Amino acid sequence: MAKGGESLLEVIGRGEEEELPVFQNGAFEVDGGEGFGGEKEKMVVDHEFLDQYVPQGEVMRHTMRDLISKIRIVGGKDFACDEWIEEPTLLVTRFEYANLFHTVTDWYSAYVSSRVTGLPNRPHLVFVDGHCMAPLEETWKALFSSLRYAKNFSGTVCFRHAILSPLGYETALFKGLTEDISCDGASAQELWQKPDNQKTARLSEFGEMIRAAFGLPLNLHHVGKAASGHNVLFVRREDYLAHPRHGGKVESRLSNEPEIFDSLKSWALNYKGCKINLVNGLFAHMSMKEQVRAIQDASVIIGAHGAGLTHIVSALPKTVILEIISSQFRRPHFAYIARWKGLEYHAINLRGSYANPGTVINELASIMKSLGC
């Protein structure tokens, strides 16, 4: 496995297989105590346990299953450490680490791991992979107390409290695309005031954690007609160099996106119902904090189906989502996230990748009227 953390330009063309871990028996060891011994190698779990609790499923290379299968129990006298890590530490393996949607599934997995294990503070993090540095690493560092790559350690390292974070592919955010997860969302404040066992605030709390990591205010709510007007955020798709195997071009999912933006801009300037601020969401040119702030400040979020819409996990309650979906990308990612957040969601399904500007304007006008605008 590569060392990881290099600059992108240093490793252009490097294969993914060089960036993912391969474990041998005993790569991880558990202290069995002074009384433990015997010549036969003893593993922590067997294949029956793995199939029941960490099934292979559709994941072609399940690195976390492989890691768990190679954990060996050793006697106290054989449990040697060159370095001790005393604080709780999450061990995370990333796959599609440069894609926002898949990275958010990793963030969510790490967040849930912290919650279910009852950690009082933000844990430390170790990447058990050899991916190069990517722009999204900024947020990993903001969300957790510290970040290290496994290959940065020298010698044997012992963890007092290690937590194996499930792969992003194993989270509800990803599995919900193919499995029926019957669940609606709401804000924590709403459920505190009106408890409902059929709703969850977990995804809303996760969004608050992201906003808090960047020092943005919490417990905000959209209010009626603000004097400054309503922000309508148009999330754009732009070309960018994502990882060593990426050509730097993104696939167009809205062929006339500039036309749609310009039409909305002209319409907003002449709209009489209230003041509308159309925000140009050029996320590839914005820091993560600026992106999250734009999401937080938006009353309405519009965009073609694409990873940038994953940011709606950080949207405030009562934000309205309008997704423009080409015929080639009819996938429920953002409809489900909106549902699990308790947000109002609208979709414009296209026959191809071209959207009629009038159709988009009419849909947005209807949404603005529903907001009292």
Side-chain angles (χ1 to χ4, degrees), residues 85-98:
I85 306 294
E86 298 289 343
E87 300 84 1
T89 303
L90 283 173
L91 306 184
V92 175
T93 300
R94 304 162 297 160
F95 278 78
E96 300 178 59
Y97 68 103

Side-chain angles (χ1 to χ4, degrees), residues 187-207:
S187 68
Q189 183 178 18
E190 179 183 333
L191 290 185
W192 180 76
Q193 294 172 340
K194 190 178 179 181
D196 187 337
N197 291 334
Q198 300 304 310
K199 292 184 178 181
T200 179
R202 186 68 80 219
L203 203 56
S204 292
E205 291 173 345
F206 170 60

Side-chain angles (χ1 to χ4, degrees), residues 66-278:
D66 187 36
L67 184 159
I68 294 170
S69 73
K70 304 297 172 54
I71 301 177
R72 178 172 61 196
I73 306 175
V74 298
K77 66 181 188 308
D78 298 317
F79 192 74
C81 304
D82 295 320
E83 178 182 353
W84 270 100
I85 306 294
E86 298 289 343
E87 300 84 1
T89 303
L90 283 173
L91 306 184
V92 175
T93 300
R94 304 162 297 160
F95 278 78
E96 300 178 59
Y97 68 103
N99 175 281
L100 180 63
F101 173 77
H102 289 284
T103 299
V104 168
T105 67
D106 285 330
W107 293 340
Y108 185 70
S109 182
Y111 158 72
V112 171
S113 298
S114 301
R115 287 295 304 268
V116 300
T117 52
L119 299 184
N121 302 305
R122 295 186 303 160
H124 297 269
L125 192 77
V126 172
F127 284 152
V128 188
D129 61 54
H131 297 309
C132 70
M133 190 175 295
L136 294 171
E137 199 162 307
E138 170 194 0
T139 307
W140 281 108
K141 291 177 179 178
L143 290 172
F144 299 95
S145 292
S146 70
L147 188 160
R148 295 178 73 174
Y149 284 80
K151 276 290 192 80
N152 290 165
F153 291 108
S154 59
T156 56
V157 181
C158 294
F159 297 93
R160 194 72 68 185
H161 187 179
I163 301 161
L164 306 182
S165 183
L167 299 181
Y169 296 132
E170 299 295 305
T171 65
L173 286 176
F174 189 84
K175 285 193 167 185
L177 303 178
T178 55
E179 299 179 13
D180 181 29
I181 300 178
S182 181
C183 182
D184 291 312
S187 68
Q189 183 178 18
E190 179 183 333
L191 290 185
W192 180 76
Q193 294 172 340
K194 190 178 179 181
D196 187 337
N197 291 334
Q198 300 304 310
K199 292 184 178 181
T200 179
R202 186 68 80 219
L203 203 56
S204 292
E205 291 173 345
F206 170 60
E208 288 186 349
M209 182 186 79
I210 293 174
R211 299 205 308 272
F214 289 108
L216 298 175
L218 303 180
N219 301 316
L220 294 178
H221 295 273
H222 292 304
V223 292
K225 291 184 181 179
S228 58
H230 284 281
N231 280 11
V232 174
L233 172 65
F234 194 108
V235 178
R236 308 293 295 271
R237 285 180 61 79
E238 300 176 88
D239 293 337
Y240 66 101
L241 187 60
H243 57 74
R245 297 161 295 284
H246 189 252
K249 297 288 185 182
V250 297
E251 187 172 8
S252 174
R253 299 179 184 180
L254 179 58
S255 58
N256 63 324
E257 183 181 284
E259 179 188 8
I260 294 297
F261 180 80
D262 290 341
S263 297
L264 288 175
K265 185 176 181 180
S266 177
W267 171 81
L269 287 172
N270 295 289
Y271 188 71
K272 304 301 182 184
C274 65
K275 183 176 170 84
I276 295 177
N277 309 308
L278 184 65

